[in-house]
Amino acid sequence: MAEFENQKFDYVIVGGGSAGCVVASRLSERSQNNVLLLEAGEDFIPGTEPMEIRDTFAGTAHSNPRFTWLGQTVAWGPRPSNAPDNRKRVRYAQGRVIGGGSSVNGMISIRGVPTDYDGWVERGAKGWGWDDVLPYFKKQETDVDFDGPLHGQDGPMAVRRIFEDRWPGFTKGFVEAAREDGWNDLKDKNAVFSDGYFPIAVANQEGRRTSTATAYLTTDVRARPNFNILGEARVEKVLFSGTKATGVRVHRRGEVFDIQANEVIVSSGALQSPALLLRSGIGPAAELTESGIDLVADRAGVGKHLMEHPGVNFGCYMKKDSRLPPDLRLPMYAGMRWSSGVEGCPAGDMYMIPMNKSFWHAVGERVGLMMLWVNKSYSTGEVRLNANDPMGVPKVDFNMCSDERDLERLKIGTRFMAKLCEKHGLQDKLHDVFPISYSDRARRYAVYNTPNKFQTWVGGQAMDMSGPLRRWVIRNFISDGLTVRDILEDDDTMTQWIQKTVLGHFHASCSNRMGAADDPGAVTDPSARVYGVEGLRVADASIMPAVPCANTNFPTIMIGEKVAGTILAEG
């Protein structure tokens, strides 16, 4: 790509995801900035995206290998301490397309709670408290339902809710069960931070997904003479002269070439960003030496402190009149934030949501999910390079439930979830509530392709024909025969089920965390500059000091806005 080799950019942004698109758009607003955005996946001008990307049912794109990192697997549960590591590694869908996670995720637009960000300050991220980040949350959004001092009205991301009069039966049953149990309607979860249920805010407009690609990289933005986007461009490493970043080495369609930059901003996500830093010689010295990589900066925290929201699910066969009607595609409409009461854990540390469609296929249309997760988790894992292929997908271990507080709260949540399922509101909408076990067979059918579409259609018809056939499909394809009663009546069984089936929600974060200069585990300073080098920043979910009580898309967009604002303020 000679056209890019022969010029030097002021800013090269590596990764066009939830934060990278924001940073590129904002920096290129200043005409004297020459900006290049590199995206490993395909680039689509807004309006030309494939159906799977536009679709507001996230599972269509999320399950398609075309738009995610091929071959990326992770270990979920706790790492064994005195035994061989026999944990199953399972597929982890991370967006690999312009817009990144915002182009394939569930579009849920939650900020978290003020204590999340005040906690970031306590961990060394000065200037990232609630009052500091709120202006950037407001800057990114246009909330079409609520106004006031906590909401934005002229930002690129459209935020809306579908209210109770249009909810499908399963969601209505969930909320009725919550009411029976005494919980209150918060109405606006982004402005009321107590416990209760609420309609979910999502990023979509006129029935189409709003991603950072569609919102921030509009036709007008793309037409700026000082801005370029290069898709299908994989960055091997950041280039250095001593400890000063000078550019990046790019692989694209069989070519390898270098691009020069005054500053490099890595926005590749919580799995790919630490991998890129490690390939570039920034990370734990011993690990880099072991991988044969020349050391540029010894930063022990690169790839460490990886966080997610650990959770478990109940499945349920929804009665026909409780399923998604033809005019609705979103699978999630209402949720519930609540407090476990476990000593030392903050308020709002738990989350539950009914999902009206569990997978893209016909069985998924019939099986709803009660999704439970720990909203404020403590377990941490790590990202390491693939020893056999540093350019390949990294080795990821979430090590969930390694902190006893997370395991205990999942037990509390499981009992609470079972209690809600016994309420009249849900009993009227469902048959056959069962603990999800995600067998290998179920995971294979989750992949979006034509054979799976046909086979799951057959399975869906069988489920509708009779109770015995339905329970046979559930037992053999989804639950591995375990019942809710089994896990409620025996604590060891519940523990084993949680440790075996615990999973995340594609909220990977914190693997290059921000912190104070004297924190040996910190990777960036509060301005997102990487410690130990010059001309290099990270701007994505990896710099979060701790995962917030929120789906991470909106907090990640906020990071993009705030880091871009910091850079522009520096001039």
Side-chain angles (χ1 to χ4, degrees):
M1 298 294 292
E3 62 180 300
F4 295 115
E5 286 185 286
N6 294 331
Q7 59 179 308
K8 186 173 186 177
F9 293 89
D10 293 303
Y11 301 100
V12 170
I13 296 119
V14 182
S18 292
C21 291
V22 179
V23 175
S25 179
R26 295 304 190 192
L27 293 184
S28 62
E29 287 177 352
R30 186 169 290 173
S31 60
Q32 61 264 44
N33 288 338
N34 193 10
V35 178
L36 174 64
L37 175 62
L38 301 173
E39 165 54 40
E42 297 177 72
D43 178 34
F44 299 105
I45 297 171
T48 69
E49 310 94 340
M51 175 276 295
E52 297 95 326
I53 297 295
R54 295 194 299 268
D55 191 1
T56 55
F57 176 64
T60 310
H62 210 253
S63 303
N64 193 326
R66 177 182 176 187
F67 308 117
T68 55
W69 283 93
L70 191 64
Q72 181 65 70
T73 62
V74 303
W76 285 129
R79 187 185 305 121
S81 55
N82 297 310
D85 188 353
N86 295 321
R87 291 172 299 167
K88 191 176 298 182
R89 303 192 68 83
V90 298
R91 180 177 181 265
Y92 190 76
Q94 289 280 280
R96 189 176 186 265
V97 63
I98 196 70
S102 71
S103 288
V104 302
N105 65 12
M107 297 165 288
I108 294 178
S109 305
I110 301 179
R111 298 170 176 174
V113 296
T115 53
D116 289 328
Y117 304 99
D118 294 338
W120 286 11
V121 175
E122 293 170 5
R123 290 169 178 252
K126 184 179 179 181
W128 288 82
W130 173 246
D131 291 338
D132 303 307
V133 302
L134 179 59
Y136 297 99
F137 276 121
K138 293 170 65 176
K139 186 176 183 179
Q140 76 188 48
E141 74 174 15
T142 293
D143 194 314
V144 303
D145 301 316
F146 294 106
D147 200 348
L150 295 182
H151 294 289
Q153 294 300 312
D154 56 5
M157 300 293 293
V159 177
R160 65 184 61 244
R161 300 146 188 85
I162 293 177
F163 291 100
E164 190 166 1
D165 60 323
R166 293 190 61 202
W167 288 347
F170 180 30
T171 297
K172 288 182 178 178
F174 172 84
V175 168
E176 181 56 37
R179 288 187 185 123
E180 288 179 56
D181 204 49
W183 298 94
N184 295 323
D185 185 354
L186 304 183
K187 302 188 186 307
D188 179 10
K189 68 181 180 304
N190 282 335
V192 180
F193 303 112
S194 54
D195 291 357
Y197 62 88
F198 43 77
I200 288 175
V202 290
N204 75 76
Q205 192 167 20
E206 298 175 354
R208 289 192 175 184
R209 169 189 297 275
T210 302
S211 69
T212 55
T214 61
Y216 284 86
L217 302 182
T218 62
T219 302
D220 289 345
V221 171
R222 289 167 176 264
R224 292 171 182 164
N226 63 327
F227 181 42
N228 287 278
I229 303 173
L230 189 61
E232 301 173 69
R234 181 84 190 280
V235 173
E236 176 187 339
K237 62 181 179 178
V238 179
L239 303 173
F240 287 92
S241 175
T243 58
K244 172 68 171 72
T246 60
V248 293
R249 180 158 296 161
V250 179
H251 294 235
R252 186 175 191 262
R253 297 178 180 175
E255 293 184 78
V256 181
F257 52 94
D258 295 344
I259 296 175
Q260 293 182 297
N262 288 326
E263 183 165 339
V264 176
I265 302 161
V266 177
S267 298
S268 301
L271 305 190
Q272 293 294 331
S273 285
L276 176 55
L277 294 189
L278 291 168
R279 289 198 300 270
S280 305
I282 304 169
E287 287 184 24
L288 296 177
T289 300
E290 184 180 331
S291 299
I293 296 172
D294 292 337
L295 181 68
V296 175
D298 183 5
R299 297 308 303 179
V302 175
K304 311 307 179 188
H305 197 69
L306 176 68
M307 299 190 77
E308 243 270 21
H309 289 130
V312 291
N313 301 333
F314 281 179
C316 53
Y317 176 80
M318 298 176 290
K319 296 179 180 179
K320 288 185 179 181
D321 59 359
S322 297
R323 302 172 193 168
L324 278 181
D327 63 322
L328 293 179
R329 289 288 294 168
L330 284 168
M332 295 171 280
Y333 298 88
M336 182 177 184
R337 181 175 57 220
W338 53 286
S339 304
S340 69
V342 170
E343 185 177 356
C345 297
D349 62 327
M350 302 295 289
Y351 194 80
M352 196 184 309
I353 187 169
M355 190 165 177
N356 297 266
K357 183 177 179 179
S358 54
F359 293 102
W360 60 270
H361 48 59
V363 172
E365 291 171 355
R366 291 158 172 81
V367 174
L369 294 180
M370 290 279 283
M371 299 177 66
L372 163 75
W373 69 67
V374 175
N375 219 16
K376 189 64 176 178
S377 56
Y378 295 101
S379 301
T380 61
E382 66 176 354
V383 179
R384 299 183 65 133
L385 288 180
N386 184 326
N388 298 319
D389 180 14
M391 279 284 284
V393 293
K395 186 176 180 181
V396 180
D397 178 4
F398 281 106
N399 196 29
M400 289 180 171
C401 293
S402 55
D403 190 295
E404 193 67 27
R405 290 169 290 184
D406 293 350
L407 175 61
E408 179 59 30
R409 286 179 294 167
L410 282 178
K411 290 181 179 181
I412 292 170
T414 297
R415 297 184 188 104
F416 179 43
M417 191 161 53
K419 175 185 173 184
L420 280 188
C421 288
E422 292 297 320
K423 299 292 183 183
H424 292 298
L426 276 171
Q427 285 289 303
D428 291 343
K429 307 297 182 183
L430 310 174
H431 290 302
D432 302 314
V433 177
F434 53 90
I436 293 281
S437 293
Y438 293 110
S439 66
D440 290 341
R441 184 179 295 177
R443 294 183 193 279
R444 287 196 299 271
Y445 283 122
V447 179
Y448 186 83
N449 59 43
T450 300
N452 282 348
K453 185 175 183 179
F454 172 74
Q455 293 179 63
T456 54
W457 179 85
V458 173
Q461 302 309 305
M463 294 180 81
D464 287 343
M465 288 176 63
S466 73
L469 269 176
R470 178 173 65 247
R471 285 183 282 275
W472 182 87
V473 171
I474 290 170
R475 184 172 60 253
N476 286 278
F477 289 85
I478 308 173
S479 74
D480 286 349
L482 198 65
T483 68
V484 173
R485 177 176 290 182
D486 291 336
I487 62 176
L488 291 180
E489 292 184 347
D490 185 82
D491 187 70
D492 288 342
T493 300
M494 182 182 291
T495 299
Q496 291 167 15
W497 172 68
I498 289 172
Q499 291 179 336
K500 177 182 177 183
T501 65
V502 65
L503 77 171
H505 296 82
F506 309 103
H507 301 163
S509 50
C510 310
S511 51
N512 291 315
R513 64 179 177 86
M514 283 187 288
D518 59 356
D519 180 351
V523 177
T524 81
D525 70 12
S527 294
R529 297 187 191 91
V530 176
Y531 283 119
V533 297
E534 300 174 63
L536 179 64
R537 301 187 206 231
V538 181
D540 56 27
S542 72
I543 70 171
M544 295 177 179
V547 65
C549 296
N551 300 60
T552 48
N553 189 45
F554 257 46
T556 302
I557 297 171
M558 176 275 291
I559 287 172
E561 287 277 17
K562 193 171 187 307
V563 172
T566 297
I567 294 171
L568 291 172
E570 291 173 356

